[in-house]
Amino acid sequence: MPGGSIYVPDADRLHGLSPQVMYEQYWRKEAKERWKLRGIKAAVGLVAGVALGYRFELPAPVLVGLLLGLAVGVADGIVAWRSYEATAVWRGRRRGETVTGRLLRRRLGRRGYRILGGRAVPGQASADHLIIGPGGVWIVDNESWDPDTEIATYGGRLFFGEKYGSKEAAALVGVAGSLAEVLSRESGVSVTIEPLIAVHCGKLVHGADRRRTVTAEGVTLLKPRHVASWVLGAPRQELDESQVEVLARTAARVLRRMS
């Protein structure tokens, strides 16, 4: 968010173990229990495979059981590892802007979009990514919360767990407005900018419509892997190739690059 990062809160650095360290310690402590449960699941898969092999008169039913048991064990391991890796940004093991930037370049670069990393209006707050393309202009910030934090909207207001998200949303909306004003003035191309937050860790509560986003107070929050799809599926303007080029060159010239 503008004004600071919540990946590793300052208070946690000063007072005992941070939630991130405690999470990693708990993960290691529970490794033996996970392997035990994985073995049980694989054994159940083996028995089920053998039973199905005999039931449907398959050749080598024991081999079928072994393969099914192995598949169950491998699948359980993959699910557990992906769950752990989903917290990598929150734990400080990866940089959110690096992860999201790679995804954006892969999906949008070949479709005529320019991805500029870490741009700011001099003397004001910044955004991790500036996206300029045929469908308009967006900014994307990267954030990560505790894995159990529910990110939702109630009564039109944004919540991070039990805390209001109004301050954070207003700050990012302000950044979008400032960037749009500068780009429009300096390039001669009038643009509006939609602010997005790529949520690397935390639970997005989508509501009854089952959409992959949470939108409130002028900001849309979604997982990093869905940002490119959102941009492609929700055009804000129609910009031709020359306008995209002018806006990209202007942004590179007048917006301060974050170190």
Side-chain angles (χ1 to χ4, degrees):
M1 291 290 176
S5 172
I6 61 173
Y7 291 172
V8 183
D10 292 337
D12 291 330
R13 298 192 185 100
L14 302 176
H15 300 96
L17 296 178
S18 70
Q20 291 86 345
V21 172
M22 292 175 64
Y23 181 91
E24 291 193 358
Q25 289 184 349
Y26 181 78
W27 173 266
R28 296 190 188 99
K29 182 179 179 181
E30 294 296 308
K32 291 183 178 179
E33 186 65 22
R34 285 195 303 274
W35 277 105
K36 180 180 178 180
L37 291 174
R38 189 167 301 137
I40 293 173
K41 294 175 183 178
V44 172
L46 187 152
V47 173
V50 172
L52 289 171
Y54 281 112
R55 171 66 177 79
F56 295 101
E57 299 181 351
L58 299 176
V62 175
L63 178 59
V64 172
L66 288 172
L67 291 176
L68 183 58
L70 178 62
V72 170
V74 170
D76 183 74
I78 291 174
V79 169
W81 179 250
R82 289 186 65 179
S83 175
Y84 180 68
E85 280 296 290
T87 67
V89 173
W90 174 68
R91 290 182 289 111
R93 300 301 181 182
R94 291 185 183 177
R95 295 186 63 84
E97 55 268 35
T98 300
V99 174
T100 303
R102 185 182 302 118
L103 291 170
L104 293 176
R105 288 189 294 272
R106 183 185 305 163
R107 290 285 308 280
L108 299 177
R110 59 190 177 187
R111 295 176 181 266
Y113 285 79
R114 306 292 184 88
I115 316 300
L116 286 75
R119 297 292 168 165
V121 176
Q124 299 186 39
S126 59
D128 292 334
H129 311 282
L130 176 64
I131 304 172
I132 303 172
V137 185
W138 291 259
I139 59 170
V140 184
D141 242 20
N142 294 276
E143 292 301 338
S144 196
W145 287 264
D146 182 286
D148 294 326
T149 300
E150 291 190 345
I151 302 162
T153 175
Y154 299 103
R157 299 195 67 177
L158 180 63
F159 284 83
F160 303 138
E162 297 180 354
K163 298 180 179 179
Y164 289 116
S166 300
K167 181 178 179 180
E168 290 83 354
L172 193 56
V173 169
V175 172
S178 296
L179 291 175
E181 181 182 353
V182 171
L183 277 181
S184 298
R185 182 179 67 246
E186 296 294 330
S187 69
V189 180
S190 179
V191 296
T192 58
I193 298 180
E194 179 184 4
L196 306 174
I197 297 178
V199 179
H200 292 266
C201 191
K203 298 178 180 179
L204 289 169
V205 180
H206 308 295
D209 58 5
R210 304 303 301 167
R211 297 177 68 185
R212 293 176 173 179
T213 64
V214 170
T215 301
E217 304 190 54
V219 175
T220 297
L221 300 94
L222 64 174
K223 291 296 183 178
R225 64 182 180 276
H226 296 148
V227 174
S229 296
W230 177 264
V231 168
L232 294 173
R236 293 294 177 261
Q237 295 178 267
E238 291 186 5
L239 301 176
D240 59 33
E241 187 175 344
S242 62
Q243 290 174 317
V244 171
E245 180 68 21
V246 168
L247 286 168
R249 288 180 177 274
T250 301
R253 175 173 56 85
V254 303
L255 299 180
R256 177 175 59 85
R257 186 178 180 87
M258 296 162 54
S259 58

